[in-house]
Amino acid sequence: MIHGDTRRFRQAAALLPPALRGPLERLDQSAQARAEELRLRAGRPPSLVLPEGERGIPGCSGPIRPQDLGMVLEVATQASAHTALSQVREGFFTLRGGHRMGICGTGVVKEGAVCNLRHISSLSLRIAHEAPGAAVPVLDRLWVGRRLANTLILSPPGWGKTTLLRDLIRLLSDGSARPALRVGVADERGELAGMWNGVPQFDIGRQTDVMDGCPKNVGLLMLLRGMNPQVLSADEITAPEDIEALELASNCGVALVCTAHAAGLEDLRRRPLYRRLLDRGIFGRVVTIRLEEGVRRYTVTPLEEGPC
């Protein structure tokens, strides 16, 4: 994760009932700025996830009760917990401010799909973070003359590829050192824009349009057909349908900026799904994120793109 000031931590804490909010607000500013998640498990004391691991919260030694979890949901969703619980197919929902509430419990299954949860057993409040300027070191290396190369960002989970992609979208949309571009974002899981009542909770740029809550391949094609984008973006390409949509968009002359889980190019090539991406020459730049003594480093590798 990439951390900054304590504003978003306080914003996340404000979503909680007073009994939990008070001890969190009394944490020192360093802990607040570095906090990644708040974990609430029935029968266990609450804990805070920091880069160095999970730890207890001073002043919160008692076990969480099932009714406490219900109260957290009521407060965090503004008394719309029932509506939120009906939207947990991905295992979480987005809250005001772009924060995410992960949820575990007993699944209610209908026609082979989880349509609701009951007997909530644990919650994870993932604190939203932005890193303005994170993409500046790589932006200039993603252009081929006056054309933005199709770009794929790689890293293992939790190393900052979504944060990097979000800032790259912002820079492209706002026209940082280049003419501003119209960017369409297929935000299936709500992680890039953090939409809340139709308003992005993250700064994703002035010329960005977001299709959230629908499958990436569907969202990409809807944006392509309806919003005339110059750039299309999606987080975590994971399915053959996603690749088909990217191929279609690339053949229409739209630049692509996406992410995938992989430690690097060799790791990517070992997987049949992603090997198809490389074999078909969809992407012309690969950005690999690596951590060196806790510092993120970016490597930009040129690839040969296929015909558009």
Side-chain angles (χ1 to χ4, degrees):
M1 298 290 292
I2 298 174
H3 308 282
D5 59 31
T6 62
R7 179 180 63 87
R8 284 196 175 269
F9 179 89
R10 296 194 301 271
Q11 186 183 55
L15 298 171
L16 300 172
L20 280 171
R21 188 188 314 150
L24 289 172
E25 290 175 341
R26 289 192 292 271
L27 288 171
D28 63 81
Q29 290 194 353
S30 173
Q32 291 186 14
R34 294 182 300 114
E36 298 176 358
E37 298 177 38
L38 173 66
R39 293 278 181 162
L40 306 175
R41 302 178 177 97
R44 301 287 184 181
S47 59
L48 196 66
V49 177
L50 300 169
E52 59 268 27
E54 195 168 334
R55 74 174 207 190
I57 301 171
C60 288
S61 58
I64 295 290
R65 304 168 300 170
Q67 54 266 42
D68 296 327
L69 298 177
M71 178 63 71
V72 170
L73 281 176
E74 287 293 316
V75 173
T77 62
Q78 297 182 333
S80 297
H82 177 74
T83 300
L85 286 173
S86 67
Q87 301 172 351
V88 294
R89 293 177 182 85
E90 294 291 340
F92 67 90
F93 48 90
T94 303
L95 301 169
R96 185 179 71 253
H99 311 288
R100 281 176 41 180
M101 183 72 78
I103 183 168
C104 285
T106 302
V108 178
V109 180
K110 186 176 182 180
E111 298 179 355
V114 175
C115 62
N116 207 331
L117 288 174
R118 54 189 176 87
H119 303 314
I120 305 305
S121 58
S122 59
L123 298 172
S124 169
L125 176 57
R126 186 171 179 178
I127 299 163
H129 288 280
E130 287 184 286
V136 170
V138 304
L139 181 60
D140 284 344
R141 290 181 278 170
L142 305 182
W143 294 83
V144 180
R146 299 176 64 182
R147 180 178 67 87
L148 178 68
N150 293 343
T151 299
L152 185 64
I153 300 170
L154 305 179
S155 85
W159 283 25
K161 62 181 174 299
T162 299
T163 302
L164 180 65
L165 175 59
R166 184 188 300 121
D167 195 54
L168 186 56
I169 291 168
R170 179 185 66 84
L171 293 174
L172 293 170
S173 177
D174 285 346
S176 176
R178 300 268 182 167
L181 300 174
R182 292 185 303 277
V183 183
V185 177
D187 199 9
E188 180 175 358
R189 302 189 305 168
E191 292 191 281
L192 287 170
M195 301 296 281
W196 177 260
N197 291 337
V199 180
Q201 301 297 288
F202 294 108
D203 182 1
I204 52 171
R206 297 188 300 270
Q207 296 187 180
T208 301
D209 302 297
V210 181
M211 185 70 68
D212 80 316
C214 62
K216 283 185 284 289
N217 62 306
V218 175
L220 287 167
L221 295 182
M222 291 177 70
L223 288 161
L224 180 64
R225 293 165 181 156
M227 300 307 294
N228 189 25
Q230 295 166 296
V231 180
L232 279 175
S233 184
D235 198 20
E236 298 185 10
I237 301 305
T238 57
E241 295 82 6
D242 301 340
I243 294 176
E244 290 172 8
L246 293 175
E247 285 185 290
L248 177 58
S250 181
N251 289 332
C252 292
V254 178
L256 307 172
V257 184
C258 304
T259 72
H261 281 317
L265 265 173
E266 291 307 314
D267 185 22
L268 202 70
R269 289 191 176 102
R270 284 193 287 267
R271 306 182 196 182
L273 175 68
Y274 297 127
R275 196 159 54 239
R276 175 179 167 186
L277 277 174
L278 299 176
D279 291 344
R280 300 198 179 188
I282 295 175
F283 289 96
R285 293 288 186 275
V286 169
V287 180
T288 305
I289 303 174
R290 66 188 190 278
L291 288 178
E292 296 180 355
E293 298 181 350
V295 178
R296 283 169 180 79
R297 308 291 185 189
Y298 305 121
T299 300
V300 179
T301 305
L303 300 178
E304 183 177 348
E305 284 188 46
C308 292

